[in-house]
Amino acid sequence: MLKQDAHLHTPFCPHGSLDPFHSYIEKAIKKGFDSITFTEHAPLPPSFQDPTPEQDSAMKLQDLEAYITKLAQLKQEYKGQLIVKTGLEVDFIKEYEEETRTFLDCYGPELDDAILSVHFLPAGDDYICLDFDEHAFQQLISIYGSIEQVYQSYYDQIHSSILSSLGQYKPKRIGHITLVQKFKQLFPYEMSPELCQKVTLCLEETAKKGMSLDFNTSGLRKTYARSIYLDQWMIDLAKKKKIPLIFGSDAHQAEDLGYAYDQFEDIMRFR
Ligand SMILES: [Zn+2]
Ligand SMILES: [Zn+2]
């Protein structure tokens, strides 16, 4: 099996570190990786208002060309040593599918790989970034009325993202499908049978569409998550349905590249 880390952020991330590309790459080589994909947060739809205080959820459209050019250079520079792929983590945002599709039609041809993620949930007339911090999550609970309802909304969005028509360059991998659990130590919640059914449906659709799942280890580094962003039963079901699980550290600093890869190996070994 090719050793890859397919979810990495970069110095182009406005909320990440300024660690240069080379530090990520050197780290990958040192840790014995064959391939890495940089998946910076794609520019948000032009008419979408980033709800975070610093409006720093994603890279700006004016930086995208530089990002793509830089990666093209790095691919050449490390040829024979490490496969470097150009990717993006694209947001699925309800009501903004059209703009997202237009974006993908334009930049998709430049990409080797991409992830489709849900970070923003509709909340009243606005949106809230569900993984921003515990206060944002609390706000979601207040608006939706219960933790259960927040989860329902999250999985409705995940479901829509899988079924969405985003054109021929639609990302093939669904990002961190339990991101809604990021603050679960503060807001404990056991998924209801109804919700589990919804997640099961999501996985069935993922399989049908020939898509894959982000095996995202960043939750292990988060104080209130302390877990991979996949429940064990989801991993089991994904394996049963032959959905590829793709390792991603979701590193926002070079230090975290390949984070907890051994856990991924252990889980994949017993398939
Ligand atoms: Zn990020
Ligand atoms: Zn993400």
Side-chain angles (χ1 to χ4, degrees), residues 6 41 50 66 76 85 90 98-99 112 114-115 122 125 190 213:
H41 296 283
D50 185 346
Q76 288 308 314
K85 291 185 183 172
V90 178
E98 200 53 52
E99 286 178 49
D112 303 312
I115 298 172
D125 294 333
E190 195 75 48
L213 289 177

Side-chain angles (χ1 to χ4, degrees), residues 241-254:
K241 301 214 164 284
K242 309 254 183 293
I243 300 169
L245 297 170
I246 312 292
F247 177 84
S249 66
D250 203 349
H252 283 68
Q253 54 179 16

